[in-house]
Each structure stands twice: as structure tokens, then as C-alpha cells.
Amino acid sequence: MLVVTLLFSSVGMAQTQGDESENPRWFTMDAINTGLGEVPEEAKRMSPRETIRSFLNFTEEENYADAAHLLNLADVDPSEQSTRGAELAKQLAEVLRRGEWLNASNLPGRQDAAIEDPSGQNPLAGEPRRNIELAALQVEGQAYDVRLGRYRVGEEDPVWLIMPESVSSIPALYEEYGPSMLESYIPERFKASFGVLKIWEWLAIPIFLITIGLVGVATYYLVSLVARILPSGLSTIFADQIGVPVAFIVVSLFTQMLLDYVVSFSAVATTTFRVLLIAIMAWGAGTIALRLVDTIMLRMTRRLVGEIDDTKPKDKRRLLTSLYALRRVIILITVVAVSVYVLGQIQLFESLGLSILASASVLAVLVGIAGQTVLGNILSSFQLSLAKPIRIGDLVIFEGQWCYVEGIFYTFIRLRSWDERRLIVPVTYFTSKPLENLSVKSTKMYRFMELTLHLSADISQVREKFLEFAKEEECVIEHHKLLCYVTGQTSYAQTVTCYLMTSDPLAGWTAEMNVREKLMAYIRDEHPEWWPRDVVVISHHDIARGEHARQSSGQQKGATGQTGESNDSSDAPDGGAE
């Protein structure tokens, strides 16, 4: 019994496969549209392209009775096919004109509707098809497909018709995509076609755009008013930043409401508006999410870090750098998510997916060449965020300028110079140039100052005063590292170098200037003879030595007069020249 059962099962499966293999390229029918009469000669139905082109030509001429021959009315009683078919053809024409931008030239021109792919990358290339999708429309969240099927009666040539399943869904589609109530008031002379649109559409679209533009402007000012009313703080900052995206979202919703309940345009305009609305809505939502992240980051920055400079602890500056990296990751995820959502909503992959896959390598090369600089900056910014050779708030010397790292973005770095200017540097340029990071380990900095003094200067007194003045500065730390030594000498001067450790570079620069000014004032007031000079002696009186030199010179002159000796320079006037 088991053997017999298996034998009969095998025979049945083979018979089933044989039945299916008999009609791999069409559906077999006993008769087609028996209630419509003879098919007009103008009705070409051998390929999907011919069928839709004939249907559009008939409906453009309002010849709906002949257009009904391009529908498979198998589910309609033959006695009603004549009247019901013309009505369904008229409704389908309105649905196709408004629901989806349909171009007959994009449909297969082969009788078997096989996919032609010269590249050979499509696994279905060359395989005949007996039904194809013409349009995919949504009605209250439900998907309805308008499909073409290939049918054969007996030994006649197979023809392409709108499938019965699609014909049965025409009333529901017409209810959604049919003419709006406003169109019933439009004069017939304005309903004539002018190019891709009708005359009344060319007149209504500018008014339509002005109306939604006014709604967007009003929304923007309303959000700005709310931002001014709110108490100052992060909520005000957030409300002030989302004016534009909120306006775009309101415009998108308002436009969709007008298209659903007030006016409906041709598929060319409707498809364009639909794609723009989806993109604008997704962009607005993504921008608001990004502004929310920025506001949260601003709150965390103010609470944890405060003013961006290198006086803050290294851990806090590293945290802020990580927050900026997180912001870029969120932006990347938002852009990818929005792009995928937009492409999914406009069903780009369904109509162009195979073409995109076939040319993916070419597009990748073109994008790589065109966006090499942008992609290089993005990758470099991620490298900086991960390796952290610089952090937000670090003090760097870049191309001879003192700057604080104020922000690391996707394609550029923002630097704040000491005089409050902002330097915008591309990331790749920044990473390709050597720089000095004064905050890489700690903010402490060893500074030095040089004084050029006369050979007669007392270094012990200079050192004592330097230590005194340096210890008076609050930012000078580690006093045991204060040093003052002679580091150079010439025939008439010596170089004295003083070293001091400061808490941070900017405060160290100020401390260095203060100590230098105090030492200069001390030498000027107390020991002016310590300044270096070139002296030509034309008298025994050296003005640089003061009263002590004058008394010594007088004593020498008295001693010379008593011995009766004369001085060759006694007749020279007192004075000195430098």
C-alpha cells in the first residue's frame, strides 16, 4: 500500500508540474469579455506597452467603450460588461492619471514581458512573465495593485489585459484618487490638457504653493513667539532652534490635507508633491531630533564643563569630545534612517532597484571621486574623536596661533583664538599639519624670560628679586622649580634667564609679562647702571655710576694737583656719551 501510495503521489505531482509547464507564459481562458462585442482595430494588446498606450489613447479621447476591451471583465456579468466596463475604464483612467505617474514607455515592449539585462546581473533576466505590476496604490493604509496579465483563448494569440483582481479594486481606488469636489466647479474649457498638466492645474498650482507658503511663514512666527514667551533657559533655546523644521512639518501636513480633501492634481504633480512632502517631513523630524540632542548636549556642557578652555579637568574635556563624537554618530544614523524611509515611501527600490544594483559599481566610483574630500573629512573627524590627539577645550598652537579647540564637526574643526576670533579649518588639513598641543598631558607650562644686563650687574640681587616677584603671582606654582641663571655673555653684556612653572599657558604668559615688568622697574629705579651700553670715556666722570663716581673722580683730581702732575684730559668737559 505504501508503494502504491508513493507511486500515485509521484504521478500526481508529475501531472501537476506538467499542467503548470504547459502555460508558463500566460493564463488560459475559455473566453474574454463576451459581453463587449468585437475588439476595435485600434486596440493593441500584444505587449504591456501596447495595452497601456492604447488604453491611455482611448481614455484621452473619452472613448471608454473601446477602452473597456483592455480590461479583463471576467468577474462582471456578460450582460453588464458593456455599460459597467465603460464606467470602470473611465474610473481607472482617473486613478492612473492622479494616483501614480505612469509612463507607457517604461513598460516592457516584448510580448513575453521578459526582463532585458545586458549586464547579466539580474538572475531573472530572459525569463518570461505572465503578469506585471502597473501601479501600487494605498487606500486607508491598505495596498492595492493594478496589474497586467497575459491571457490566451484556445489557439489565439495571447493578449495583455488589466487583471480581474485589479478591476474589482477600481471603485475603491476611484473613491480615493478620483476628482475632488472642487473640480466639479471648474469650467470644461479649463479641463483641456496643456502639456503634462491641464490648464486649470497650471493656474491652481501657483495659488496652491502661495497658500502653503503663507501657512509655513505663519507657523514659523508662531514658534518664534512661543520661544520669546517661554522663560529663558534651555527650553527657550530649543524652541528658538526648531522654528524652521516645525514650519516645514506643518506645511507638509497641511499640503497632504489639501491633496486628500480639497484638490487633486494629475499624477505628475501629485507624485512630485508626494516625494517632496515625504522628504520634508522626514527632514523636519530628523532636524528636531538633532536639535533636541544639541540642547541636551548644551545642558550637559554647561553643567559638567562650563566655558570651553583648558582650565577644566582633562576628564571633563574628554567627555565633551565624546559628546561631540556621539552627536556626529546621531547625525549619521538620522541621515541614513531618513534616506531609507524616504526611499521606502516613494518605492524607489521597487521601480529602479534592479537598475541601481546593475550600476552600483559605477555609482560607487563616481561618488568616491566626487566626494573624496568630504568623505576624507568625515573619516578624519571620526579618527580624531576616537584617538583623541586633541580634545574639546585643548589649547593648541596651530600655524603660529594660540587657539582653543571649540568644536570638532564632520568636515571642519572650529578653533577660538586668544583674541576671540574663530578659525574654521578642514579636518584633513588640520590633521596633515604639525601642531603643538599645550594641554595633551596637563595644563601646566614651564615658561622662561630673558634679560640682557651689563657685565657689572649683581646676579644674586636679580635672582632674589625674581624669586620675590614670581612668588607673588597666583598662577606660578611649584616654587622649588624657580630658577635664575646667566645663560650667555658678550664683550659688554650678559644674558640672564629666569624659569617659572605656571598652572596654565595663558595665565603663564600673563605671569611672565608681570615678572618682567617688575624686574625692569626695579633695575630702572635702583640700578640703572646694570643696563647694557657702549661707553666712550671722555672724562673721569661716568654718569652711569652716579654720585659715587663723582666723589671718586674729585678725590683723584685733588691728589693729582698736590703732586703737581697734569692730566691730559683735564681740559675736557665733564660728561659722558653713550
Short mmCIF file of all heavy atoms in Angstrom, two decimals, residues 448-482:
data_model
loop_
_atom_site.label_atom_id
_atom_site.label_comp_id
_atom_site.label_asym_id
_atom_site.label_seq_id
_atom_site.Cartn_x
_atom_site.Cartn_y
_atom_site.Cartn_z
N PHE A 448 59.83 80.78 30.41
CA PHE A 448 61.10 81.44 30.74
C PHE A 448 61.12 82.84 30.15
O PHE A 448 60.40 83.15 29.19
CB PHE A 448 62.28 80.61 30.20
CG PHE A 448 62.37 80.60 28.70
CD1 PHE A 448 63.15 81.54 28.02
CD2 PHE A 448 61.69 79.64 27.96
CE1 PHE A 448 63.23 81.51 26.64
CE2 PHE A 448 61.77 79.63 26.58
CZ PHE A 448 62.54 80.56 25.92
N MET A 449 61.95 83.68 30.75
CA MET A 449 62.11 85.05 30.29
C MET A 449 63.59 85.40 30.32
O MET A 449 64.34 84.89 31.15
CB MET A 449 61.32 86.02 31.18
CG MET A 449 61.54 85.80 32.68
SD MET A 449 60.69 86.96 33.73
CE MET A 449 61.67 88.41 33.44
N GLU A 450 64.02 86.24 29.41
CA GLU A 450 65.43 86.60 29.30
C GLU A 450 65.58 88.11 29.50
O GLU A 450 64.78 88.90 29.00
CB GLU A 450 65.98 86.20 27.93
CG GLU A 450 66.07 84.70 27.73
CD GLU A 450 66.68 84.34 26.38
OE1 GLU A 450 66.76 85.25 25.52
OE2 GLU A 450 67.09 83.19 26.18
N LEU A 451 66.65 88.49 30.23
CA LEU A 451 67.04 89.88 30.42
C LEU A 451 68.50 90.04 30.00
O LEU A 451 69.34 89.20 30.33
CB LEU A 451 66.87 90.31 31.88
CG LEU A 451 65.45 90.35 32.45
CD1 LEU A 451 65.49 90.70 33.93
CD2 LEU A 451 64.59 91.36 31.70
N THR A 452 68.77 91.09 29.27
CA THR A 452 70.15 91.39 28.85
C THR A 452 70.66 92.53 29.72
O THR A 452 70.13 93.65 29.67
CB THR A 452 70.19 91.77 27.37
OG1 THR A 452 69.64 90.71 26.59
CG2 THR A 452 71.62 92.01 26.92
N LEU A 453 71.69 92.26 30.56
CA LEU A 453 72.20 93.22 31.54
C LEU A 453 73.69 93.45 31.32
O LEU A 453 74.39 92.67 30.64
CB LEU A 453 71.94 92.71 32.96
CG LEU A 453 70.48 92.40 33.33
CD1 LEU A 453 70.41 91.84 34.75
CD2 LEU A 453 69.60 93.64 33.19
N HIS A 454 74.17 94.54 31.95
CA HIS A 454 75.60 94.88 31.89
C HIS A 454 76.40 93.83 32.66
O HIS A 454 75.89 93.16 33.56
CB HIS A 454 75.81 96.28 32.50
CG HIS A 454 77.16 96.85 32.19
ND1 HIS A 454 78.24 96.69 33.01
CD2 HIS A 454 77.58 97.58 31.12
CE1 HIS A 454 79.29 97.28 32.48
NE2 HIS A 454 78.92 97.85 31.33
N LEU A 455 77.67 93.75 32.32
CA LEU A 455 78.52 92.77 32.99
C LEU A 455 78.67 93.05 34.48
O LEU A 455 79.00 92.16 35.26
CB LEU A 455 79.90 92.74 32.33
CG LEU A 455 79.93 92.17 30.89
CD1 LEU A 455 81.31 92.37 30.28
CD2 LEU A 455 79.54 90.71 30.89
N SER A 456 78.41 94.28 34.87
CA SER A 456 78.57 94.65 36.27
C SER A 456 77.35 94.33 37.13
O SER A 456 77.36 94.56 38.34
CB SER A 456 78.87 96.16 36.39
OG SER A 456 77.78 96.92 35.89
N ALA A 457 76.26 93.81 36.51
CA ALA A 457 75.02 93.52 37.24
C ALA A 457 75.26 92.42 38.28
O ALA A 457 75.96 91.43 38.00
CB ALA A 457 73.92 93.12 36.29
N ASP A 458 74.67 92.61 39.44
CA ASP A 458 74.79 91.63 40.52
C ASP A 458 73.70 90.57 40.35
O ASP A 458 72.51 90.82 40.57
CB ASP A 458 74.64 92.33 41.86
CG ASP A 458 74.96 91.40 43.03
OD1 ASP A 458 75.07 90.17 42.79
OD2 ASP A 458 75.08 91.89 44.15
N ILE A 459 74.09 89.38 39.94
CA ILE A 459 73.12 88.33 39.62
C ILE A 459 72.40 87.85 40.87
O ILE A 459 71.23 87.49 40.83
CB ILE A 459 73.83 87.16 38.93
CG1 ILE A 459 74.52 87.63 37.65
CG2 ILE A 459 72.83 86.06 38.58
CD1 ILE A 459 73.59 88.32 36.70
N SER A 460 73.06 87.86 42.01
CA SER A 460 72.41 87.41 43.24
C SER A 460 71.22 88.30 43.58
O SER A 460 70.17 87.80 44.02
CB SER A 460 73.41 87.39 44.38
OG SER A 460 73.92 88.69 44.63
N GLN A 461 71.36 89.64 43.38
CA GLN A 461 70.23 90.53 43.64
C GLN A 461 69.11 90.33 42.62
O GLN A 461 67.93 90.35 42.97
CB GLN A 461 70.70 91.99 43.61
CG GLN A 461 71.67 92.35 44.74
CD GLN A 461 71.98 93.84 44.75
OE1 GLN A 461 71.13 94.66 44.44
NE2 GLN A 461 73.21 94.18 45.14
N VAL A 462 69.48 90.14 41.35
CA VAL A 462 68.46 89.88 40.32
C VAL A 462 67.70 88.59 40.64
O VAL A 462 66.48 88.53 40.54
CB VAL A 462 69.12 89.78 38.93
CG1 VAL A 462 68.10 89.39 37.88
CG2 VAL A 462 69.78 91.09 38.57
N ARG A 463 68.42 87.54 41.07
CA ARG A 463 67.78 86.27 41.39
C ARG A 463 66.85 86.43 42.59
O ARG A 463 65.74 85.89 42.62
CB ARG A 463 68.84 85.22 41.68
CG ARG A 463 68.27 83.84 41.99
CD ARG A 463 69.36 82.84 42.29
NE ARG A 463 70.21 82.59 41.14
CZ ARG A 463 71.49 82.96 41.08
NH1 ARG A 463 72.07 83.57 42.13
NH2 ARG A 463 72.22 82.70 40.01
N GLU A 464 67.29 87.18 43.58
CA GLU A 464 66.46 87.39 44.77
C GLU A 464 65.17 88.11 44.42
O GLU A 464 64.08 87.72 44.90
CB GLU A 464 67.25 88.18 45.80
CG GLU A 464 66.50 88.44 47.10
CD GLU A 464 67.32 89.26 48.09
OE1 GLU A 464 68.53 89.47 47.83
OE2 GLU A 464 66.74 89.68 49.10
N LYS A 465 65.26 89.15 43.61
CA LYS A 465 64.06 89.89 43.22
C LYS A 465 63.15 89.04 42.33
O LYS A 465 61.92 89.11 42.43
CB LYS A 465 64.45 91.18 42.50
CG LYS A 465 65.01 92.23 43.43
CD LYS A 465 63.94 92.64 44.46
CE LYS A 465 64.45 93.69 45.43
NZ LYS A 465 63.41 94.06 46.42
N PHE A 466 63.75 88.23 41.47
CA PHE A 466 62.93 87.37 40.61
C PHE A 466 62.11 86.39 41.46
O PHE A 466 60.91 86.20 41.22
CB PHE A 466 63.82 86.60 39.62
CG PHE A 466 63.12 85.43 38.99
CD1 PHE A 466 62.13 85.62 38.04
CD2 PHE A 466 63.44 84.13 39.36
CE1 PHE A 466 61.48 84.53 37.48
CE2 PHE A 466 62.80 83.05 38.80
CZ PHE A 466 61.82 83.25 37.86
N LEU A 467 62.75 85.77 42.45
CA LEU A 467 62.02 84.84 43.31
C LEU A 467 60.90 85.56 44.05
O LEU A 467 59.79 85.02 44.22
CB LEU A 467 62.98 84.18 44.29
CG LEU A 467 64.05 83.26 43.67
CD1 LEU A 467 65.00 82.76 44.77
CD2 LEU A 467 63.42 82.09 42.95
N GLU A 468 61.19 86.77 44.50
CA GLU A 468 60.17 87.54 45.23
C GLU A 468 58.98 87.86 44.34
O GLU A 468 57.82 87.67 44.73
CB GLU A 468 60.81 88.82 45.77
CG GLU A 468 59.82 89.73 46.48
CD GLU A 468 60.46 91.06 46.90
OE1 GLU A 468 61.71 91.14 46.91
OE2 GLU A 468 59.70 92.00 47.19
N PHE A 469 59.27 88.36 43.14
CA PHE A 469 58.18 88.75 42.25
C PHE A 469 57.40 87.54 41.73
O PHE A 469 56.17 87.58 41.58
CB PHE A 469 58.73 89.55 41.06
CG PHE A 469 59.36 90.86 41.45
CD1 PHE A 469 60.43 91.39 40.73
CD2 PHE A 469 58.92 91.57 42.56
CE1 PHE A 469 61.01 92.58 41.09
CE2 PHE A 469 59.49 92.78 42.93
CZ PHE A 469 60.55 93.29 42.19
N ALA A 470 58.10 86.44 41.45
CA ALA A 470 57.42 85.25 40.93
C ALA A 470 56.48 84.64 41.95
O ALA A 470 55.38 84.17 41.61
CB ALA A 470 58.45 84.23 40.48
N LYS A 471 56.88 84.62 43.22
CA LYS A 471 56.03 84.04 44.25
C LYS A 471 54.79 84.87 44.51
O LYS A 471 53.82 84.38 45.10
CB LYS A 471 56.83 83.86 45.54
CG LYS A 471 57.92 82.80 45.43
CD LYS A 471 58.73 82.70 46.70
CE LYS A 471 59.83 81.64 46.59
NZ LYS A 471 60.64 81.53 47.81
N GLU A 472 54.81 86.13 44.08
CA GLU A 472 53.62 86.98 44.25
C GLU A 472 52.53 86.66 43.24
O GLU A 472 51.36 87.04 43.44
CB GLU A 472 54.02 88.45 44.12
CG GLU A 472 54.89 88.96 45.26
CD GLU A 472 55.35 90.40 45.04
OE1 GLU A 472 55.04 90.95 43.95
OE2 GLU A 472 55.99 90.97 45.93
N GLU A 473 52.88 85.97 42.16
CA GLU A 473 51.89 85.63 41.13
C GLU A 473 51.14 84.36 41.54
O GLU A 473 51.75 83.34 41.86
CB GLU A 473 52.58 85.41 39.78
CG GLU A 473 53.30 86.62 39.23
CD GLU A 473 52.33 87.73 38.86
OE1 GLU A 473 51.20 87.40 38.42
OE2 GLU A 473 52.68 88.91 39.03
N GLU A 474 49.80 84.40 41.49
CA GLU A 474 48.99 83.27 41.94
C GLU A 474 49.14 82.05 41.03
O GLU A 474 49.08 80.91 41.50
CB GLU A 474 47.52 83.68 42.00
CG GLU A 474 47.22 84.74 43.06
CD GLU A 474 45.74 85.07 43.11
OE1 GLU A 474 44.99 84.48 42.29
OE2 GLU A 474 45.33 85.89 43.94
N CYS A 475 49.30 82.27 39.74
CA CYS A 475 49.35 81.14 38.81
C CYS A 475 50.72 80.50 38.75
O CYS A 475 50.88 79.47 38.08
CB CYS A 475 48.92 81.59 37.42
SG CYS A 475 50.01 82.81 36.69
N VAL A 476 51.73 81.05 39.42
CA VAL A 476 53.05 80.44 39.45
C VAL A 476 53.04 79.36 40.53
O VAL A 476 52.77 79.64 41.71
CB VAL A 476 54.15 81.48 39.71
CG1 VAL A 476 55.50 80.79 39.85
CG2 VAL A 476 54.17 82.50 38.59
N ILE A 477 53.31 78.14 40.14
CA ILE A 477 53.25 77.01 41.06
C ILE A 477 54.62 76.34 41.15
O ILE A 477 55.54 76.69 40.40
CB ILE A 477 52.19 75.98 40.60
CG1 ILE A 477 52.52 75.47 39.21
CG2 ILE A 477 50.79 76.61 40.62
CD1 ILE A 477 51.58 74.40 38.69
N GLU A 478 54.73 75.40 42.09
CA GLU A 478 55.96 74.64 42.26
C GLU A 478 57.16 75.59 42.38
O GLU A 478 58.06 75.62 41.54
CB GLU A 478 56.14 73.64 41.11
CG GLU A 478 55.01 72.64 40.99
CD GLU A 478 55.24 71.63 39.89
OE1 GLU A 478 56.37 71.56 39.38
OE2 GLU A 478 54.28 70.90 39.55
N HIS A 479 57.17 76.34 43.48
CA HIS A 479 58.19 77.37 43.66
C HIS A 479 59.60 76.80 43.74
O HIS A 479 60.57 77.53 43.50
CB HIS A 479 57.87 78.18 44.93
CG HIS A 479 56.60 78.95 44.83
ND1 HIS A 479 55.95 79.50 45.93
CD2 HIS A 479 55.82 79.25 43.77
CE1 HIS A 479 54.86 80.12 45.54
NE2 HIS A 479 54.75 79.99 44.23
N HIS A 480 59.72 75.52 44.06
CA HIS A 480 61.05 74.94 44.12
C HIS A 480 61.69 74.81 42.73
O HIS A 480 62.89 74.52 42.63
CB HIS A 480 61.00 73.55 44.78
CG HIS A 480 60.19 72.55 44.03
ND1 HIS A 480 58.81 72.54 44.04
CD2 HIS A 480 60.57 71.53 43.21
CE1 HIS A 480 58.36 71.55 43.29
NE2 HIS A 480 59.43 70.92 42.76
N LYS A 481 60.89 75.02 41.68
CA LYS A 481 61.42 74.96 40.33
C LYS A 481 61.74 76.34 39.78
O LYS A 481 62.05 76.46 38.58
CB LYS A 481 60.43 74.24 39.42
CG LYS A 481 60.27 72.75 39.74
CD LYS A 481 59.37 72.08 38.72
CE LYS A 481 59.24 70.59 39.02
NZ LYS A 481 58.38 69.91 38.02
N LEU A 482 61.66 77.37 40.57
CA LEU A 482 62.03 78.71 40.12
C LEU A 482 63.55 78.79 39.98
O LEU A 482 64.29 78.48 40.92
CB LEU A 482 61.52 79.77 41.09
CG LEU A 482 60.00 79.90 41.22
CD1 LEU A 482 59.64 80.87 42.33
CD2 LEU A 482 59.39 80.36 39.90
#
